[in-house]
């Protein structure tokens, strides 16, 4: 193997490592504190076993994230690749309007701002600097999917791999919380994850070029449960 091929391998592996870190569920941004309405579904006995948990995660993947957070990751990735701050500002306004539930809206931009703080100093990117300036000026709020797509783009990560990592992170988060809340065994959670890999792949393919006419289509039941969450008698999560 030539020295150039060896260097290419190192660069590829380094980018893979950055993607794994970007999508790591254990990042100290507080994602594990949010259930996205799942806790309400469990307390109302809508989700009560492995089958209903799997159905819920699948529904979020195919009917919610595909047209919301996943689509916005894709659009932010493209805008950032083109160094288009105006497009990122517009996307910020759109995703903020789409998140009807205050709990989901606030958790998203809090996670995004924390994610940006971890990685921004290591990107050396003009678009990241411009985005930080816009954030300081309150032109944007820093929603998590937009920051995720922005960082992945400036790290020169593959778009399809970025989307797969994003969806994987979201699926793992819901399954992990569901295992605790129902409760289920860790093995049951892993079986659900294995069975959802094909669905994740389909979501990635569909998100490469989001259908703008379906952008921000949502699952109203999830929004309602997120709103109801603060009135639960006992709570393990923040949303």
């Amino acid at each position: 193997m030539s020295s150039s091929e060896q260097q290419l391998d190192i660069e590829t592996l380094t980018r893979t490592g950055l993607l794994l870190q970007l999508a790591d569920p254990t990042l100290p941004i507080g994602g594990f504190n949010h259930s996205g309405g799942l806790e309400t579904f469990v307390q109302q006995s809508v989700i009560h076993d492995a089958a209903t948990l799997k159905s819920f995660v699948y529904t979020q993947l195919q009917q919610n994230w595909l047209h919301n957070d996943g689509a916005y990751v894709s659009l932010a990735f493209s805008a950032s690749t083109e160094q288009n701050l105006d497009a990122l500002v517009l996307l910020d306004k759109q995703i903020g309007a789409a998140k009807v539930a205050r709990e989901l809206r606030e958790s998203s931009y809090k996670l995004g701002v924390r994610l940006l703080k971890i990685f921004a100093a290591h990107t050396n990117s003009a678009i990241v600097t411009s985005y930080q300036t816009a954030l300081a000026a309150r032109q944007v709020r820093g929603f998590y999917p937009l920051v995720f797509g922005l960082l992945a783009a400036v790290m020169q990560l593959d778009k399809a791999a970025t989307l797969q990592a994003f969806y994987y992170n979201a699926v793992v988060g819901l399954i992990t919380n569901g295992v605790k809340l129902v409760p289920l065994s860790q093995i049951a959670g892993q079986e659900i994850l294995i069975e959802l890999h094909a669905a994740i792949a389909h979501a990635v393919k569909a998100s490469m070029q989001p259908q703008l006419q379906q952008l921000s289509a949502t699952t109203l039941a999830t929004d309602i449960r997120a709103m109801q969450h603060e009135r639960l008698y006992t709570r393990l999560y923040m949303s």
Side-chain angles (χ1 to χ4, degrees):
M1 181 181 292
S2 67
S3 60
S4 61
E5 288 174 327
Q6 290 176 335
Q7 182 63 30
L8 178 61
D9 286 343
I10 293 298
E11 290 176 358
T12 301
L13 289 170
T14 299
R15 289 197 182 100
T16 301
L18 286 169
L19 179 59
L20 290 172
Q21 184 178 3
L22 184 63
D24 189 344
T26 65
L27 274 178
I29 62 175
F32 51 84
N33 289 322
H34 300 274
S35 79
L38 172 61
E39 187 165 17
T40 309
F41 277 106
V42 173
Q43 289 206 21
Q44 293 176 349
S45 298
V46 176
I47 298 171
H48 53 83
D49 59 12
T52 50
L53 177 60
K54 177 187 172 183
S55 177
F56 175 71
V57 179
Y58 180 84
T59 299
Q60 295 305 301
L61 181 61
Q62 294 294 320
Q63 298 182 25
N64 187 355
W65 302 332
L66 178 62
H67 307 304
N68 283 279
D69 286 2
Y72 282 106
V73 170
S74 179
L75 294 170
F77 187 101
S78 297
S80 302
T81 300
E82 298 167 0
Q83 301 288 303
N84 192 339
L85 179 64
D86 290 340
L88 288 173
V89 172
L90 179 59
L91 288 171
D92 186 274
K93 296 182 185 301
Q94 290 177 323
I95 193 173
K99 292 187 177 295
V100 178
R102 173 183 56 80
E103 294 80 3
L104 300 180
R105 188 168 58 250
E106 290 182 355
S107 67
S108 183
Y109 66 69
K110 287 177 181 178
L111 297 180
V113 170
R114 293 167 189 160
L115 185 69
L116 188 64
K117 286 181 179 179
I118 293 175
F119 291 97
H122 304 282
T123 61
N124 191 29
S125 166
I127 189 65
V128 170
T129 301
S130 297
Y131 190 83
Q132 288 179 297
T133 300
L135 186 62
R138 298 186 178 180
Q139 294 176 305
V140 298
R141 281 178 286 183
F143 289 99
Y144 177 72
L146 303 185
V147 173
F148 195 100
L150 165 66
L151 292 173
V154 301
M155 291 175 184
Q156 298 182 341
L157 303 178
D158 178 76
K159 186 176 184 180
T162 296
L163 287 165
Q164 186 168 24
F166 180 83
Y167 283 127
Y168 176 85
N169 173 282
V171 167
V172 168
L174 268 192
I175 292 175
T176 300
N177 292 344
V179 164
K180 294 178 182 177
L181 289 167
V182 172
L184 300 169
S185 70
Q186 295 293 333
I187 295 299
Q190 290 302 306
E191 289 175 349
I192 293 172
L193 179 58
I194 289 172
E195 293 169 358
L196 288 173
H197 278 298
I200 292 173
H202 283 292
V204 170
K205 185 176 181 179
S207 300
M208 290 296 290
Q209 296 291 335
Q211 297 183 28
L212 297 183
Q213 67 271 26
Q214 292 184 308
L215 187 63
S216 300
T218 188
T219 48
L220 292 177
T222 302
D223 290 340
I224 292 171
R225 268 39 175 227
M227 295 175 188
Q228 293 173 334
H229 182 265
E230 66 180 354
R231 294 180 175 84
L232 296 180
Y233 183 71
T234 59
R235 293 177 295 172
L236 293 178
Y237 296 93
M238 296 175 63
S239 68

